[in-house]
């Protein structure tokens, strides 16, 4: 599996602001985590990369330098939303830009809490990149209840909190991925049905020397491809199994998928394991909206799985999908409809009338330059009787540069 994208971003950013040297192995070669590295270099951090090993000389949280050029986050929401928490709290005068897709995604969700904390940050139309950041007068303590279950927002506020003399407290009622809290060893405690997480200048930032686990979100494409294709037997090695990420694993198991987990161990603070996947007869499912943040990036390929389940499946509470690299609810509705699947698009989800005998029509699928749309359409096409075309298929390089090679190998064997 390709190295985990979310962990790669964090490993590099957290290494940069620690006071130690970090050696990160299995760092992702995908475009998004590489955007993070180039932004860190622009901020004066020494980053060297040889194959998949990245060495970062931490400059400490106050050692970042003003960049000469705007920080280009490319297509990467995680780079922009997490790094803006660091640079705006550190008071680094800079501009953050992104590609067309990133410039159309709302940044209001981070601008508002950062301003409440005392950061000086402005967006185009108060909402979008480019973001303009300048010096501030100090970070004020804040208790912030997350209005949406977003790990990017949670991380942004906690990272800014690292610059406050008094603790910043983030209240999380619905769990989203917890890599930031784990990798930075942040204090947290139970709070009502959720938890409260704290960060402050007192937190000592640890070196980030470990190997990045395989990306569960990439593995999810094979969990589905292996399940829906007859006579499949795949072994996915060293996959990240952080419980805040593996919703799709459990959802597919509940649908009847045949998975066997072995070699469970840890890479640094993160659990990893091997997963064996065999073909299965899938049952339909009604997804509990509370599970959505736990499988947000896997929902597109779960929709593909649902097309082959024996009956009606339903997804609700997934409005956030409309705010990803593209509007993933609409894009998936178009892809599934073009393939002849029976679906109903809702404002916050989808109803899918599955059929184990479904044979997708060959079609020309639009990826909208969104890596997960391209890969979901490819998995769907593995069950098609003819050749399909996926437009702008090279966008898989955003998270999974070897995807087409792996798919080719699997379909030839
Ligand atoms: C990510 C969090 C998720 C996810 C994205 C990566 C992260 O976004 O969709 O691909 O690394 O924190 P949200 O937290 O905004 O839901």
């Amino acid at each position: 599996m390709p190295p985990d994208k979310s962990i790669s971003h964090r490993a590099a950013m957290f290494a940069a602001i620690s006071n130690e040297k970090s050696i990160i192995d299995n760092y992702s070669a995908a475009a998004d985590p590489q955007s993070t590295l180039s932004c860190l270099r622009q901020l004066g951090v020494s980053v060297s990369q040889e194959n998949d090993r990245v060495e970062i000389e931490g400059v400490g949280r106050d050692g970042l330098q003003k960049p000469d050029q705007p920080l280009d986050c490319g297509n990467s929401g995680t780079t922009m939303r997490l790094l803006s928490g660091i640079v705006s709290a550190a008071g680094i005068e800079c501009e953050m830009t992104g590609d067309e897709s990133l410039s159309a995604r709302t940044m209001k969700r981070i601008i508002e809490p950062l301003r409440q904390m005392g950061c000086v940050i402005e967006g185009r139309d108060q909402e979008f990149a480019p973001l303009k950041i300048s010096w501030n007068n100090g970070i004020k303590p804040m208790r912030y209840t997350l209005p949406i279950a977003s790990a990017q927002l949670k991380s942004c506020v906690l990272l800014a909190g690292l610059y406050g003399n008094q603790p910043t407290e983030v209240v999380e009622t619905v769990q989203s991925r917890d890599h930031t809290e784990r990798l930075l060893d942040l204090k947290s405690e139970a709070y009502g049905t959720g938890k409260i997480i704290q960060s402050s200048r007192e937190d000592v930032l640890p070196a980030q020397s470990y190997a990045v686990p395989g990306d569960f979100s990439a593995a999810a494409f094979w969990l589905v491809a292996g399940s829906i294709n007859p006579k499949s037997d795949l072994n996915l090695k060293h996959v990240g199994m952080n419980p805040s990420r593996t919703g799709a694993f459990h959802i597919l198991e509940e649908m009847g998928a045949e998975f066997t987990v072995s070699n469970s161990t840890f890479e640094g603070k993160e659990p990893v394991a091997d997963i064996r996947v065999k073909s299965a007869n899938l049952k339909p499912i009604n997804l509990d909206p509370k599970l959505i943040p736990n499988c947000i990036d896997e929902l597109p390929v779960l929709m593909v799985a649902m097309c082959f389940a024996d009956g009606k499946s339903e997804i609700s509470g997934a409005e956030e999908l409309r705010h990803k690299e593209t509007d993933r609810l609409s894009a998936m509705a178009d892809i599934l409809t073009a393939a002849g699947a029976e679906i109903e698009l809702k404002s916050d989800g989808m109803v899918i009338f599955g059929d184990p005998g479904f044979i997708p029509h060959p079609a020309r699928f639009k990826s909208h330059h969104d890596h997960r749309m391209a890969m979901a359409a490819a998995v769907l096409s593995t069950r098609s009787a003819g050749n399909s075309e996926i437009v702008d298929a090279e966008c898989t390089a955003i998270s999974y540069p070897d995807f087409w090679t792996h798919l080719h190998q699997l379909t030839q064997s």
Side-chain angles (χ1 to χ4, degrees), residues 5-7 9-10 78 81-82 105 109 149-153 155 176-177 179-180 245 293 296-297 320 324-325 328 371-372:
K5 183 159 85 75
S6 287
I7 297 174
H9 285 298
R10 288 168 170 78
T78 308
R81 295 201 175 117
L82 268 61
R105 294 174 66 183
R109 56 182 63 183
S150 160
Q152 292 180 345
L153 172 56
S155 303
S176 62
R177 64 192 70 192
H179 305 302
T180 298
R245 285 284 292 283
I296 188 77
D297 291 341
E320 268 295 301
K324 296 296 175 186
E325 284 82 332
R328 288 185 174 160
H371 52 134
R372 298 201 200 280

PDB file of all heavy atoms in Angstrom, residues 5-7 9-10 78 81-82 105 109 149-153 155 176-177 179-180 245 293 296-297 320 324-325 328 371-372, ligand 1:
ATOM      1  N   LYS A   5      -1.351   9.123   3.672  1.00  0.00           N
ATOM      2  CA  LYS A   5      -1.265  10.540   3.314  1.00  0.00           C
ATOM      3  C   LYS A   5      -1.426  11.422   4.564  1.00  0.00           C
ATOM      4  O   LYS A   5      -0.616  12.316   4.809  1.00  0.00           O
ATOM      5  CB  LYS A   5      -2.378  10.833   2.290  1.00  0.00           C
ATOM      6  CG  LYS A   5      -2.436  12.223   1.733  1.00  0.00           C
ATOM      7  CD  LYS A   5      -3.195  12.239   0.420  1.00  0.00           C
ATOM      8  CE  LYS A   5      -4.697  12.359   0.543  1.00  0.00           C
ATOM      9  NZ  LYS A   5      -5.171  13.696   0.904  1.00  0.00           N
ATOM     10  N   SER A   6      -2.443  11.149   5.355  1.00  0.00           N
ATOM     11  CA  SER A   6      -2.709  11.979   6.545  1.00  0.00           C
ATOM     12  C   SER A   6      -1.531  11.949   7.509  1.00  0.00           C
ATOM     13  O   SER A   6      -1.142  12.974   8.082  1.00  0.00           O
ATOM     14  CB  SER A   6      -3.927  11.445   7.305  1.00  0.00           C
ATOM     15  OG  SER A   6      -5.095  11.725   6.620  1.00  0.00           O
ATOM     16  N   ILE A   7      -0.942  10.757   7.696  1.00  0.00           N
ATOM     17  CA  ILE A   7       0.166  10.641   8.659  1.00  0.00           C
ATOM     18  C   ILE A   7       1.430  11.281   8.076  1.00  0.00           C
ATOM     19  O   ILE A   7       2.197  11.934   8.791  1.00  0.00           O
ATOM     20  CB  ILE A   7       0.382   9.164   9.065  1.00  0.00           C
ATOM     21  CG1 ILE A   7      -0.873   8.648   9.775  1.00  0.00           C
ATOM     22  CG2 ILE A   7       1.613   9.012   9.964  1.00  0.00           C
ATOM     23  CD1 ILE A   7      -0.855   7.166  10.103  1.00  0.00           C
ATOM     24  N   HIS A   9       1.678  13.905   6.060  1.00  0.00           N
ATOM     25  CA  HIS A   9       1.583  15.367   6.260  1.00  0.00           C
ATOM     26  C   HIS A   9       1.966  15.740   7.686  1.00  0.00           C
ATOM     27  O   HIS A   9       2.737  16.660   7.934  1.00  0.00           O
ATOM     28  CB  HIS A   9       0.126  15.834   6.125  1.00  0.00           C
ATOM     29  CG  HIS A   9      -0.412  15.894   4.749  1.00  0.00           C
ATOM     30  ND1 HIS A   9       0.104  16.719   3.788  1.00  0.00           N
ATOM     31  CD2 HIS A   9      -1.477  15.274   4.177  1.00  0.00           C
ATOM     32  CE1 HIS A   9      -0.622  16.601   2.680  1.00  0.00           C
ATOM     33  NE2 HIS A   9      -1.572  15.723   2.890  1.00  0.00           N
ATOM     34  N   ARG A  10       1.362  15.021   8.629  1.00  0.00           N
ATOM     35  CA  ARG A  10       1.554  15.373  10.044  1.00  0.00           C
ATOM     36  C   ARG A  10       2.984  15.106  10.481  1.00  0.00           C
ATOM     37  O   ARG A  10       3.587  15.910  11.203  1.00  0.00           O
ATOM     38  CB  ARG A  10       0.558  14.599  10.908  1.00  0.00           C
ATOM     39  CG  ARG A  10      -0.875  15.124  10.747  1.00  0.00           C
ATOM     40  CD  ARG A  10      -1.862  14.165  11.369  1.00  0.00           C
ATOM     41  NE  ARG A  10      -3.217  14.711  11.458  1.00  0.00           N
ATOM     42  CZ  ARG A  10      -4.074  14.800  10.441  1.00  0.00           C
ATOM     43  NH1 ARG A  10      -3.717  14.399   9.236  1.00  0.00           N
ATOM     44  NH2 ARG A  10      -5.293  15.297  10.618  1.00  0.00           N
ATOM     45  N   THR A  78      -5.365  19.253   3.478  1.00  0.00           N
ATOM     46  CA  THR A  78      -4.705  19.010   4.762  1.00  0.00           C
ATOM     47  C   THR A  78      -3.516  19.946   4.925  1.00  0.00           C
ATOM     48  O   THR A  78      -3.285  20.493   6.007  1.00  0.00           O
ATOM     49  CB  THR A  78      -4.273  17.531   4.888  1.00  0.00           C
ATOM     50  OG1 THR A  78      -5.406  16.706   4.598  1.00  0.00           O
ATOM     51  CG2 THR A  78      -3.783  17.210   6.275  1.00  0.00           C
ATOM     52  N   ARG A  81      -5.069  23.483   5.651  1.00  0.00           N
ATOM     53  CA  ARG A  81      -5.804  23.649   6.906  1.00  0.00           C
ATOM     54  C   ARG A  81      -4.924  23.405   8.128  1.00  0.00           C
ATOM     55  O   ARG A  81      -5.114  24.061   9.156  1.00  0.00           O
ATOM     56  CB  ARG A  81      -7.040  22.746   6.905  1.00  0.00           C
ATOM     57  CG  ARG A  81      -8.043  23.173   5.826  1.00  0.00           C
ATOM     58  CD  ARG A  81      -9.432  22.665   6.121  1.00  0.00           C
ATOM     59  NE  ARG A  81     -10.410  23.166   5.144  1.00  0.00           N
ATOM     60  CZ  ARG A  81     -11.099  22.387   4.329  1.00  0.00           C
ATOM     61  NH1 ARG A  81     -10.932  21.079   4.358  1.00  0.00           N
ATOM     62  NH2 ARG A  81     -11.975  22.909   3.489  1.00  0.00           N
ATOM     63  N   LEU A  82      -3.967  22.499   8.033  1.00  0.00           N
ATOM     64  CA  LEU A  82      -3.110  22.261   9.210  1.00  0.00           C
ATOM     65  C   LEU A  82      -1.987  23.296   9.291  1.00  0.00           C
ATOM     66  O   LEU A  82      -1.731  23.880  10.342  1.00  0.00           O
ATOM     67  CB  LEU A  82      -2.512  20.842   9.179  1.00  0.00           C
ATOM     68  CG  LEU A  82      -3.333  19.755   9.904  1.00  0.00           C
ATOM     69  CD1 LEU A  82      -4.714  19.594   9.305  1.00  0.00           C
ATOM     70  CD2 LEU A  82      -2.606  18.427   9.919  1.00  0.00           C
ATOM     71  N   ARG A 105     -12.599  25.529  -2.178  1.00  0.00           N
ATOM     72  CA  ARG A 105     -13.067  24.869  -0.954  1.00  0.00           C
ATOM     73  C   ARG A 105     -13.074  25.851   0.208  1.00  0.00           C
ATOM     74  O   ARG A 105     -12.145  26.636   0.364  1.00  0.00           O
ATOM     75  CB  ARG A 105     -12.164  23.664  -0.627  1.00  0.00           C
ATOM     76  CG  ARG A 105     -12.294  22.585  -1.666  1.00  0.00           C
ATOM     77  CD  ARG A 105     -11.319  21.456  -1.444  1.00  0.00           C
ATOM     78  NE  ARG A 105     -11.594  20.722  -0.225  1.00  0.00           N
ATOM     79  CZ  ARG A 105     -10.828  19.715   0.216  1.00  0.00           C
ATOM     80  NH1 ARG A 105      -9.751  19.360  -0.463  1.00  0.00           N
ATOM     81  NH2 ARG A 105     -11.149  19.076   1.315  1.00  0.00           N
ATOM     82  N   ARG A 109     -14.181  27.673   7.921  1.00  0.00           N
ATOM     83  CA  ARG A 109     -14.192  26.824   9.114  1.00  0.00           C
ATOM     84  C   ARG A 109     -12.896  26.959   9.928  1.00  0.00           C
ATOM     85  O   ARG A 109     -12.918  26.763  11.130  1.00  0.00           O
ATOM     86  CB  ARG A 109     -14.464  25.362   8.739  1.00  0.00           C
ATOM     87  CG  ARG A 109     -13.486  24.813   7.733  1.00  0.00           C
ATOM     88  CD  ARG A 109     -13.789  23.379   7.342  1.00  0.00           C
ATOM     89  NE  ARG A 109     -15.081  23.212   6.681  1.00  0.00           N
ATOM     90  CZ  ARG A 109     -15.586  22.053   6.306  1.00  0.00           C
ATOM     91  NH1 ARG A 109     -14.925  20.946   6.533  1.00  0.00           N
ATOM     92  NH2 ARG A 109     -16.745  21.972   5.709  1.00  0.00           N
ATOM     93  N   ALA A 149     -17.555  17.457  12.351  1.00  0.00           N
ATOM     94  CA  ALA A 149     -16.576  16.408  12.691  1.00  0.00           C
ATOM     95  C   ALA A 149     -15.498  16.420  11.630  1.00  0.00           C
ATOM     96  O   ALA A 149     -15.577  15.699  10.644  1.00  0.00           O
ATOM     97  CB  ALA A 149     -17.270  15.053  12.742  1.00  0.00           C
ATOM     98  N   SER A 150     -14.496  17.284  11.813  1.00  0.00           N
ATOM     99  CA  SER A 150     -13.427  17.402  10.824  1.00  0.00           C
ATOM    100  C   SER A 150     -12.073  17.348  11.527  1.00  0.00           C
ATOM    101  O   SER A 150     -11.767  18.176  12.386  1.00  0.00           O
ATOM    102  CB  SER A 150     -13.567  18.733  10.072  1.00  0.00           C
ATOM    103  OG  SER A 150     -12.339  19.085   9.467  1.00  0.00           O
ATOM    104  N   ALA A 151     -11.262  16.369  11.124  1.00  0.00           N
ATOM    105  CA  ALA A 151      -9.922  16.234  11.718  1.00  0.00           C
ATOM    106  C   ALA A 151      -9.021  17.371  11.265  1.00  0.00           C
ATOM    107  O   ALA A 151      -8.092  17.748  11.976  1.00  0.00           O
ATOM    108  CB  ALA A 151      -9.312  14.900  11.326  1.00  0.00           C
ATOM    109  N   GLN A 152      -9.291  17.918  10.093  1.00  0.00           N
ATOM    110  CA  GLN A 152      -8.471  19.041   9.615  1.00  0.00           C
ATOM    111  C   GLN A 152      -8.709  20.264  10.490  1.00  0.00           C
ATOM    112  O   GLN A 152      -7.768  20.957  10.884  1.00  0.00           O
ATOM    113  CB  GLN A 152      -8.787  19.339   8.146  1.00  0.00           C
ATOM    114  CG  GLN A 152      -8.332  18.219   7.228  1.00  0.00           C
ATOM    115  CD  GLN A 152      -8.631  18.484   5.767  1.00  0.00           C
ATOM    116  OE1 GLN A 152      -9.415  19.375   5.437  1.00  0.00           O
ATOM    117  NE2 GLN A 152      -8.028  17.697   4.893  1.00  0.00           N
ATOM    118  N   LEU A 153      -9.971  20.530  10.793  1.00  0.00           N
ATOM    119  CA  LEU A 153     -10.308  21.674  11.639  1.00  0.00           C
ATOM    120  C   LEU A 153      -9.780  21.458  13.063  1.00  0.00           C
ATOM    121  O   LEU A 153      -9.152  22.348  13.662  1.00  0.00           O
ATOM    122  CB  LEU A 153     -11.836  21.856  11.628  1.00  0.00           C
ATOM    123  CG  LEU A 153     -12.422  22.871  12.589  1.00  0.00           C
ATOM    124  CD1 LEU A 153     -11.812  24.242  12.381  1.00  0.00           C
ATOM    125  CD2 LEU A 153     -13.942  22.944  12.411  1.00  0.00           C
ATOM    126  N   SER A 155      -7.332  19.642  14.039  1.00  0.00           N
ATOM    127  CA  SER A 155      -5.868  19.720  14.064  1.00  0.00           C
ATOM    128  C   SER A 155      -5.399  21.159  13.947  1.00  0.00           C
ATOM    129  O   SER A 155      -4.446  21.576  14.609  1.00  0.00           O
ATOM    130  CB  SER A 155      -5.277  18.898  12.913  1.00  0.00           C
ATOM    131  OG  SER A 155      -5.709  17.566  13.001  1.00  0.00           O
ATOM    132  N   SER A 176     -13.317  12.048  14.929  1.00  0.00           N
ATOM    133  CA  SER A 176     -12.706  12.038  13.593  1.00  0.00           C
ATOM    134  C   SER A 176     -11.286  11.509  13.777  1.00  0.00           C
ATOM    135  O   SER A 176     -10.853  11.282  14.912  1.00  0.00           O
ATOM    136  CB  SER A 176     -12.697  13.444  12.988  1.00  0.00           C
ATOM    137  OG  SER A 176     -11.921  14.306  13.795  1.00  0.00           O
ATOM    138  N   ARG A 177     -10.529  11.338  12.690  1.00  0.00           N
ATOM    139  CA  ARG A 177      -9.204  10.706  12.812  1.00  0.00           C
ATOM    140  C   ARG A 177      -8.343  11.423  13.857  1.00  0.00           C
ATOM    141  O   ARG A 177      -8.355  12.664  13.936  1.00  0.00           O
ATOM    142  CB  ARG A 177      -8.509  10.620  11.447  1.00  0.00           C
ATOM    143  CG  ARG A 177      -8.181  11.927  10.815  1.00  0.00           C
ATOM    144  CD  ARG A 177      -7.768  11.746   9.353  1.00  0.00           C
ATOM    145  NE  ARG A 177      -8.922  11.356   8.553  1.00  0.00           N
ATOM    146  CZ  ARG A 177      -8.862  10.913   7.308  1.00  0.00           C
ATOM    147  NH1 ARG A 177      -7.711  10.781   6.710  1.00  0.00           N
ATOM    148  NH2 ARG A 177      -9.962  10.588   6.657  1.00  0.00           N
ATOM    149  N   HIS A 179      -4.890  11.216  14.426  1.00  0.00           N
ATOM    150  CA  HIS A 179      -3.428  11.151  14.241  1.00  0.00           C
ATOM    151  C   HIS A 179      -2.707  12.304  14.945  1.00  0.00           C
ATOM    152  O   HIS A 179      -1.634  12.121  15.500  1.00  0.00           O
ATOM    153  CB  HIS A 179      -3.063  11.194  12.756  1.00  0.00           C
ATOM    154  CG  HIS A 179      -3.734  10.142  11.933  1.00  0.00           C
ATOM    155  ND1 HIS A 179      -3.611   8.803  12.193  1.00  0.00           N
ATOM    156  CD2 HIS A 179      -4.537  10.237  10.842  1.00  0.00           C
ATOM    157  CE1 HIS A 179      -4.301   8.123  11.291  1.00  0.00           C
ATOM    158  NE2 HIS A 179      -4.872   8.971  10.474  1.00  0.00           N
ATOM    159  N   THR A 180      -3.292  13.498  14.906  1.00  0.00           N
ATOM    160  CA  THR A 180      -2.618  14.663  15.508  1.00  0.00           C
ATOM    161  C   THR A 180      -2.412  14.452  17.004  1.00  0.00           C
ATOM    162  O   THR A 180      -1.298  14.611  17.528  1.00  0.00           O
ATOM    163  CB  THR A 180      -3.443  15.941  15.240  1.00  0.00           C
ATOM    164  OG1 THR A 180      -3.500  16.140  13.843  1.00  0.00           O
ATOM    165  CG2 THR A 180      -2.835  17.166  15.906  1.00  0.00           C
ATOM    166  N   ARG A 245      -9.978   5.466  11.730  1.00  0.00           N
ATOM    167  CA  ARG A 245      -9.941   5.483  10.258  1.00  0.00           C
ATOM    168  C   ARG A 245     -10.644   4.285   9.606  1.00  0.00           C
ATOM    169  O   ARG A 245     -10.871   4.294   8.391  1.00  0.00           O
ATOM    170  CB  ARG A 245      -8.466   5.458   9.795  1.00  0.00           C
ATOM    171  CG  ARG A 245      -7.714   6.750   9.951  1.00  0.00           C
ATOM    172  CD  ARG A 245      -8.067   7.763   8.910  1.00  0.00           C
ATOM    173  NE  ARG A 245      -7.649   7.419   7.565  1.00  0.00           N
ATOM    174  CZ  ARG A 245      -6.410   7.508   7.094  1.00  0.00           C
ATOM    175  NH1 ARG A 245      -5.449   7.954   7.867  1.00  0.00           N
ATOM    176  NH2 ARG A 245      -6.133   7.181   5.843  1.00  0.00           N
ATOM    177  N   PRO A 293     -17.796  10.259   9.727  1.00  0.00           N
ATOM    178  CA  PRO A 293     -16.431  10.800   9.805  1.00  0.00           C
ATOM    179  C   PRO A 293     -15.366   9.698   9.808  1.00  0.00           C
ATOM    180  O   PRO A 293     -14.234   9.921   9.404  1.00  0.00           O
ATOM    181  CB  PRO A 293     -16.411  11.548  11.146  1.00  0.00           C
ATOM    182  CG  PRO A 293     -17.831  11.795  11.467  1.00  0.00           C
ATOM    183  CD  PRO A 293     -18.626  10.673  10.873  1.00  0.00           C
ATOM    184  N   ILE A 296     -15.131   8.777   5.890  1.00  0.00           N
ATOM    185  CA  ILE A 296     -15.468   9.857   4.962  1.00  0.00           C
ATOM    186  C   ILE A 296     -14.765   9.695   3.607  1.00  0.00           C
ATOM    187  O   ILE A 296     -15.372   9.859   2.559  1.00  0.00           O
ATOM    188  CB  ILE A 296     -15.210  11.253   5.606  1.00  0.00           C
ATOM    189  CG1 ILE A 296     -15.736  12.382   4.740  1.00  0.00           C
ATOM    190  CG2 ILE A 296     -13.741  11.475   5.961  1.00  0.00           C
ATOM    191  CD1 ILE A 296     -17.200  12.573   4.779  1.00  0.00           C
ATOM    192  N   ASP A 297     -13.474   9.329   3.623  1.00  0.00           N
ATOM    193  CA  ASP A 297     -12.741   9.214   2.355  1.00  0.00           C
ATOM    194  C   ASP A 297     -13.045   7.906   1.634  1.00  0.00           C
ATOM    195  O   ASP A 297     -12.739   7.762   0.445  1.00  0.00           O
ATOM    196  CB  ASP A 297     -11.227   9.315   2.607  1.00  0.00           C
ATOM    197  CG  ASP A 297     -10.827  10.728   3.036  1.00  0.00           C
ATOM    198  OD1 ASP A 297     -11.612  11.666   2.800  1.00  0.00           O
ATOM    199  OD2 ASP A 297      -9.737  10.888   3.611  1.00  0.00           O
ATOM    200  N   GLU A 320     -20.805  16.502   4.122  1.00  0.00           N
ATOM    201  CA  GLU A 320     -19.380  16.910   4.018  1.00  0.00           C
ATOM    202  C   GLU A 320     -18.738  16.456   2.706  1.00  0.00           C
ATOM    203  O   GLU A 320     -17.782  17.068   2.240  1.00  0.00           O
ATOM    204  CB  GLU A 320     -18.580  16.335   5.189  1.00  0.00           C
ATOM    205  CG  GLU A 320     -18.478  17.246   6.387  1.00  0.00           C
ATOM    206  CD  GLU A 320     -17.706  18.539   6.122  1.00  0.00           C
ATOM    207  OE1 GLU A 320     -16.548  18.481   5.738  1.00  0.00           O
ATOM    208  OE2 GLU A 320     -18.300  19.620   6.293  1.00  0.00           O
ATOM    209  N   LYS A 324     -15.371  18.201  -0.554  1.00  0.00           N
ATOM    210  CA  LYS A 324     -14.053  17.592  -0.754  1.00  0.00           C
ATOM    211  C   LYS A 324     -13.446  18.132  -2.058  1.00  0.00           C
ATOM    212  O   LYS A 324     -13.876  19.169  -2.552  1.00  0.00           O
ATOM    213  CB  LYS A 324     -14.189  16.069  -0.762  1.00  0.00           C
ATOM    214  CG  LYS A 324     -14.670  15.509   0.575  1.00  0.00           C
ATOM    215  CD  LYS A 324     -13.658  15.764   1.668  1.00  0.00           C
ATOM    216  CE  LYS A 324     -14.153  15.329   3.036  1.00  0.00           C
ATOM    217  NZ  LYS A 324     -13.252  15.695   4.110  1.00  0.00           N
ATOM    218  N   GLU A 325     -12.461  17.412  -2.619  1.00  0.00           N
ATOM    219  CA  GLU A 325     -11.739  17.905  -3.794  1.00  0.00           C
ATOM    220  C   GLU A 325     -12.703  18.258  -4.928  1.00  0.00           C
ATOM    221  O   GLU A 325     -12.437  19.108  -5.769  1.00  0.00           O
ATOM    222  CB  GLU A 325     -10.708  16.877  -4.256  1.00  0.00           C
ATOM    223  CG  GLU A 325      -9.455  16.806  -3.383  1.00  0.00           C
ATOM    224  CD  GLU A 325      -9.592  15.966  -2.118  1.00  0.00           C
ATOM    225  OE1 GLU A 325     -10.724  15.844  -1.571  1.00  0.00           O
ATOM    226  OE2 GLU A 325      -8.565  15.424  -1.650  1.00  0.00           O
ATOM    227  N   ARG A 328     -18.284  15.245  -4.045  1.00  0.00           N
ATOM    228  CA  ARG A 328     -18.195  13.794  -4.254  1.00  0.00           C
ATOM    229  C   ARG A 328     -19.549  13.101  -4.287  1.00  0.00           C
ATOM    230  O   ARG A 328     -19.660  12.000  -4.829  1.00  0.00           O
ATOM    231  CB  ARG A 328     -17.292  13.153  -3.192  1.00  0.00           C
ATOM    232  CG  ARG A 328     -15.827  13.485  -3.424  1.00  0.00           C
ATOM    233  CD  ARG A 328     -14.902  12.769  -2.461  1.00  0.00           C
ATOM    234  NE  ARG A 328     -13.513  13.016  -2.835  1.00  0.00           N
ATOM    235  CZ  ARG A 328     -12.477  12.867  -2.029  1.00  0.00           C
ATOM    236  NH1 ARG A 328     -12.666  12.460  -0.786  1.00  0.00           N
ATOM    237  NH2 ARG A 328     -11.252  13.109  -2.453  1.00  0.00           N
ATOM    238  N   HIS A 371      -8.806  12.382  -7.175  1.00  0.00           N
ATOM    239  CA  HIS A 371      -8.184  11.053  -7.125  1.00  0.00           C
ATOM    240  C   HIS A 371      -9.152   9.966  -6.695  1.00  0.00           C
ATOM    241  O   HIS A 371      -9.182   8.883  -7.282  1.00  0.00           O
ATOM    242  CB  HIS A 371      -6.953  11.091  -6.201  1.00  0.00           C
ATOM    243  CG  HIS A 371      -7.183  11.666  -4.833  1.00  0.00           C
ATOM    244  ND1 HIS A 371      -6.732  11.087  -3.688  1.00  0.00           N
ATOM    245  CD2 HIS A 371      -7.827  12.798  -4.423  1.00  0.00           C
ATOM    246  CE1 HIS A 371      -7.057  11.824  -2.638  1.00  0.00           C
ATOM    247  NE2 HIS A 371      -7.729  12.867  -3.071  1.00  0.00           N
ATOM    248  N   ARG A 372      -9.988  10.261  -5.686  1.00  0.00           N
ATOM    249  CA  ARG A 372     -10.853   9.186  -5.194  1.00  0.00           C
ATOM    250  C   ARG A 372     -12.000   8.878  -6.161  1.00  0.00           C
ATOM    251  O   ARG A 372     -12.507   7.755  -6.191  1.00  0.00           O
ATOM    252  CB  ARG A 372     -11.363   9.500  -3.780  1.00  0.00           C
ATOM    253  CG  ARG A 372     -10.205   9.606  -2.787  1.00  0.00           C
ATOM    254  CD  ARG A 372     -10.579   9.429  -1.345  1.00  0.00           C
ATOM    255  NE  ARG A 372      -9.545  10.012  -0.495  1.00  0.00           N
ATOM    256  CZ  ARG A 372      -8.387   9.428  -0.172  1.00  0.00           C
ATOM    257  NH1 ARG A 372      -8.122   8.223  -0.618  1.00  0.00           N
ATOM    258  NH2 ARG A 372      -7.504  10.047   0.578  1.00  0.00           N
TER     259      ARG A 372
HETATM  260  C1  LIG B   1      -7.948  14.532   6.633  1.00  0.00           C
HETATM  261  C2  LIG B   1      -9.201  14.673   7.170  1.00  0.00           C
HETATM  262  C3  LIG B   1     -10.433  14.502   6.396  1.00  0.00           C
HETATM  263  C4  LIG B   1     -10.171  13.766   5.092  1.00  0.00           C
HETATM  264  C5  LIG B   1      -8.963  14.265   4.369  1.00  0.00           C
HETATM  265  C6  LIG B   1      -7.728  14.140   5.243  1.00  0.00           C
HETATM  266  C7  LIG B   1      -6.787  14.750   7.513  1.00  0.00           C
HETATM  267  O1  LIG B   1     -10.961  15.774   6.098  1.00  0.00           O
HETATM  268  O2  LIG B   1     -11.289  13.839   4.238  1.00  0.00           O
HETATM  269  O3  LIG B   1      -8.748  13.493   3.189  1.00  0.00           O
HETATM  270  O4  LIG B   1      -5.668  14.317   7.161  1.00  0.00           O
HETATM  271  O5  LIG B   1      -6.979  15.336   8.585  1.00  0.00           O
HETATM  272  P1  LIG B   1     -11.928  16.517   7.172  1.00  0.00           P
HETATM  273  O6  LIG B   1     -11.222  16.453   8.439  1.00  0.00           O
HETATM  274  O7  LIG B   1     -12.071  17.933   6.719  1.00  0.00           O
HETATM  275  O8  LIG B   1     -13.210  15.759   7.126  1.00  0.00           O
END
